[in-house]
């Protein structure tokens, strides 16, 4: 899976971090999401999908080729 | 897995309702899903209504909850403009306002809330608005586009966001609060003072300790008369004095209610195969060992999904695999060009500590009971907000919760 972030949309709500803390974090300086893993493995699919659907501004998606 | 011929009905084409639909399909459920929505609108997102939508930064298309193709991929039947008027649990039938009788195997109730209304003299005049639905927001936005003086009744988060959107559009804005201090109903005094200062700096006038006696005007509202005799000119009035669960349709049913639909830790009502989620749901949160409701977006999404998964498990005969829903409440509010985030529950005897300066660019207030963090409020500091949410999630502060009710006003 490859995660795509629309940084224009991210406002640092943080729901993705709570859903998948091993994949997402919030950058303390910028106040927006940072990816700890850009290409997470299949074992993380469930938590990554939960993170994507918990984003209030739909800033996260999976690369359609993934 | 439940068999192919089962019917799940989601009542409410809402944030919680659509999250439930997605979750049901993600379990592999292949039966029929019907969404009954009282408004004649495709499902839309609510938080932007008081913020970006009112300010004119986003359009209706931007706030759609799902695209047509997503709706198609969920394979869901939408019954819009239809309200459920009765739940007959014995016959497993939903009665709809359109006269339709809808049979079900499982139900998820996600009907949300309705604004509390003022009933003083003149309360029916044109130009007096409540904000809950997209249609409410359309009408308010149209009035705001005409400009003029806006009076916001109530200084909760909705009121604050509307006032802020009004200032962005160049309106003159006055806020009126019944309590002695603005914003004091929803947050700690220190935070309330900071919010008040931020609004004053934006040019909002705030009048506290006063109630509305009546509205004057001809066809439209022209002024607001307050309890101390103050008269404020008004072209637009927005009333944001709280909301109540929309559960009146259960009056003739056997479902238990108490300021919301009463549910257990799995978000199930007192009736098999009927679950609830979102603002309307008063469920037992094991984290705090009490019942409560949470009136925020993140809860609607998460509870909608968890309740839906539990419903599918029950329909599959796997009750013992259901998962209790035990979140730390969280919400955000964008107003005065700032991002405010709050997590946790308020506690009377908590001690507060401040990081940063409330007049500076970013700051955080945390509340502790003993060594345990009970809540965190941050301004323009998403990194801190998420750090504290993680801490709160790890803590088991159940006996410390004063109130699990997070009310949007």
């Amino acid at each position: 899976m490859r995660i795509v972030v629309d940084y224009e949309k991210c406002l640092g709500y943080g729901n993705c971090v709570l859903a998948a803390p091993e994949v997402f974090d919030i950058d303390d300086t910028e106040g927006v999401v940072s990816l700890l893993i850009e290409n997470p493995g299949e074992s993380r699919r469930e938590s990554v999908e939960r993170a994507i659907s918990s984003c209030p501004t739909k800033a996260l998606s999976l690369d359609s080729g993934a | 897995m439940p068999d192919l011929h089962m019917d799940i009905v989601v009542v409410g084409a809402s944030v919680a309702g659509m999250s439930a639909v997605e979750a049901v399909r993600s379990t592999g459920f292949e039966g029929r899903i019907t969404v009954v929505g009282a408004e004649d609108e495709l499902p839309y997102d609510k938080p932007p209504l008081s913020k970006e939508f009112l300010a004119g930064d986003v359009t209706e298309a931007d706030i759609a909850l799902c695209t047509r193709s997503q709706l198609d991929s969920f394979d869901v039947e939408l019954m819009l403009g239809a309200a459920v008027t009765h739940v007959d649990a014995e016959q497993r039938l939903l009665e709809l306002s359109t006269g339709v009788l809808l049979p079900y195997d499982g139900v998820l109730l996600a009907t949300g809330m309705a604004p509390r209304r003022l009933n003083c003299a003149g309360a029916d005049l044109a130009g007096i608005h409540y904000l809950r639905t997209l249609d409410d927001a359309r009408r308010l936005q149209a009035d705001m586009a005409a400009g003029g003086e806006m009076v916001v009744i109530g200084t909760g988060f909705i009121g604050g966001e509307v006032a802020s959107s009004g200032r962005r559009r160049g309106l003159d804005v006055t806020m009126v609060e019944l309590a002695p201090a603005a914003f004091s109903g929803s947050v700690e005094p220190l935070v309330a003072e900071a919010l008040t200062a931020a609004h004053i700096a934006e040019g909002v006038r705030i009048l506290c300790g006063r109630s509305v006696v009546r509205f004057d005007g001809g066809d439209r509202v022209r002024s607001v008369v307050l309890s101390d005799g103050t008269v404020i000119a008004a072209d637009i009035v927005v009333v944001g004095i709280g909301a109540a669960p929309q559960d009146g349709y259960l009056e003739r049913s056997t479902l238990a209610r108490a300021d919301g639909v009463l549910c257990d830790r799995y978000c199930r009502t007192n009736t098999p195969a009927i679950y609830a989620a979102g603002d309307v749901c008063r469920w037992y949160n094991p984290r705090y060992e009490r019942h409560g409701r949470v009136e925020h977006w993140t809860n609607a999404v998460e509870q909608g999904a968890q309740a839906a998964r539990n419903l599918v498990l029950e329909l599959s005969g796997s009750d013992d695999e259901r998962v209790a829903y035990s979140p730390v409440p969280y919400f955000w509010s964008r107003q005065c060009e700032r991002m405010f985030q709050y997590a946790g529950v308020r506690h009377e005897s908590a001690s507060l500590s401040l990081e940063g300066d409330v007049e500076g660019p970013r700051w955080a207030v945390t509340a502790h009971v003993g060594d345990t963090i009970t809540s965190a409020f941050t301004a323009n500091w998403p990194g801190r907000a998420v750090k504290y949410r993680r801490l709160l999630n790890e803590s088991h502060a159940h006996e410390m919760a004063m109130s699990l009710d997070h009310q949007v006003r």
Side-chain angles (χ1 to χ4, degrees), chain A residues 11-15 17-18 21 24-29 31-32 50 53-56 58, chain B residues 22 45 64-65 297-298 301 309 330 332 334 339 341 362 381-384 386 389-390 393:
Chain A
L11 292 166
Y13 297 93
N15 287 354
V17 183
L18 274 292
F24 302 96
D25 201 358
I26 298 290
D27 182 280
D28 193 56
T29 310
V32 296
R50 214 165 48 237
S53 56
S54 73
C55 177
K58 299 188 178 82
Chain B
E22 188 178 352
D45 204 14
L65 262 188
W297 188 94
T298 302
V301 171
R309 287 191 287 266
Y330 163 70
W332 74 85
R334 295 182 66 215
M339 171 68 144
Q341 293 167 291
R362 64 184 194 176
W381 208 344
R384 275 291 188 279
V386 81
R389 282 175 76 189
R390 292 172 77 162
N393 268 2

Side-chain angles (χ1 to χ4, degrees), chain B residues 89 93 104 158 205 253 287 298 337 384 391 394:
Chain B
L93 279 177
Y104 67 83
I158 298 286
R205 185 162 65 127
S253 77
R287 178 184 297 271
T298 302
E337 311 285 318
R384 275 291 188 279
L391 274 179
E394 288 158 14

Side-chain angles (χ1 to χ4, degrees), chain B residues 131-153:
Chain B
L131 183 54
R132 191 69 191 168
T133 66
L134 176 56
D135 211 39
D136 293 338
R138 281 184 194 124
R139 278 181 274 132
L140 175 55
Q141 198 203 38
D143 271 7
M144 286 170 73
E149 295 178 54
M150 180 161 83
V151 177
V152 178
I153 315 293

Side-chain angles (χ1 to χ4, degrees), chain B residues 116-193:
Chain B
R116 291 187 207 283
R117 306 185 82 84
L118 283 174
N119 52 14
C120 60
D124 295 332
L125 287 173
I128 299 176
H129 296 264
Y130 294 82
L131 183 54
R132 191 69 191 168
T133 66
L134 176 56
D135 211 39
D136 293 338
R138 281 184 194 124
R139 278 181 274 132
L140 175 55
Q141 198 203 38
D143 271 7
M144 286 170 73
E149 295 178 54
M150 180 161 83
V151 177
V152 178
I153 315 293
T155 60
F157 280 97
I158 298 286
E161 289 169 1
V162 169
S164 205
S165 302
R167 288 300 296 146
R168 283 209 52 198
R169 298 192 79 128
L171 302 180
D172 287 285
V173 180
T174 303
M175 299 186 83
V176 177
E177 170 60 51
L178 180 62
F183 300 102
S184 54
S186 27
V187 289
E188 310 289 353
L190 176 64
V191 173
E193 285 165 27

Side-chain angles (χ1 to χ4, degrees), chain B residues 178-391:
Chain B
L178 180 62
F183 300 102
S184 54
S186 27
V187 289
E188 310 289 353
L190 176 64
V191 173
E193 285 165 27
L195 282 171
T196 304
H199 278 280
I200 289 172
E202 286 215 326
V204 175
R205 185 162 65 127
I206 303 182
L207 303 175
C208 294
R210 280 164 266 204
S211 60
V212 176
V213 174
R214 66 171 193 276
F215 299 102
D216 286 336
D219 295 341
R220 287 186 60 88
V221 66
R222 281 290 163 251
S223 60
V224 184
V225 181
L226 304 183
S227 50
D228 66 341
T230 308
V231 179
I232 319 169
D235 303 290
I236 308 162
V237 172
V238 184
V239 183
I241 54 169
Q246 227 159 204
D247 59 1
Y249 61 95
L250 299 174
E251 190 136 36
R252 292 182 289 130
S253 77
T254 52
L255 270 73
R257 293 181 297 153
D259 182 36
V261 184
L262 265 186
C263 290
D264 65 12
R265 66 183 60 211
Y266 304 108
C267 309
R268 206 201 78 177
T269 64
N270 64 348
T271 304
I274 303 183
Y275 287 69
D279 300 3
V280 79
C281 176
R282 175 176 294 279
W283 91 105
Y284 181 83
N285 185 336
R287 178 184 297 271
Y288 301 108
E289 296 185 342
R290 69 187 60 203
H291 283 82
R293 288 191 302 112
V294 178
E295 305 173 353
H296 301 295
W297 188 94
T298 302
N299 182 65
V301 171
E302 293 178 352
Q303 190 170 32
Q306 190 59 59
R309 287 191 287 266
N310 286 341
L311 168 61
V312 172
L313 285 166
E314 181 182 326
L315 294 177
S316 320
S318 311
D319 279 28
D320 52 346
E321 289 174 36
R322 293 179 305 167
V323 176
Y325 181 62
S326 57
V328 173
Y330 163 70
F331 71 89
W332 74 85
S333 179
R334 295 182 66 215
Q335 42 186 307
C336 307
E337 311 285 318
R338 291 173 177 81
M339 171 68 144
F340 297 104
Q341 293 167 291
Y342 185 91
V345 291
R346 288 177 81 184
H347 188 268
E348 238 169 9
S349 65
S351 55
L352 301 183
S353 56
L354 172 69
E355 282 174 271
D357 175 355
V358 289
E359 284 167 23
R362 64 184 194 176
W363 46 272
V365 174
T366 47
H368 296 82
V369 174
D371 293 335
T372 308
I373 183 170
T374 51
S375 70
F377 186 99
T378 61
N380 274 344
W381 208 344
R384 275 291 188 279
V386 81
K387 174 189 149 184
Y388 291 130
R389 282 175 76 189
R390 292 172 77 162
L391 274 179

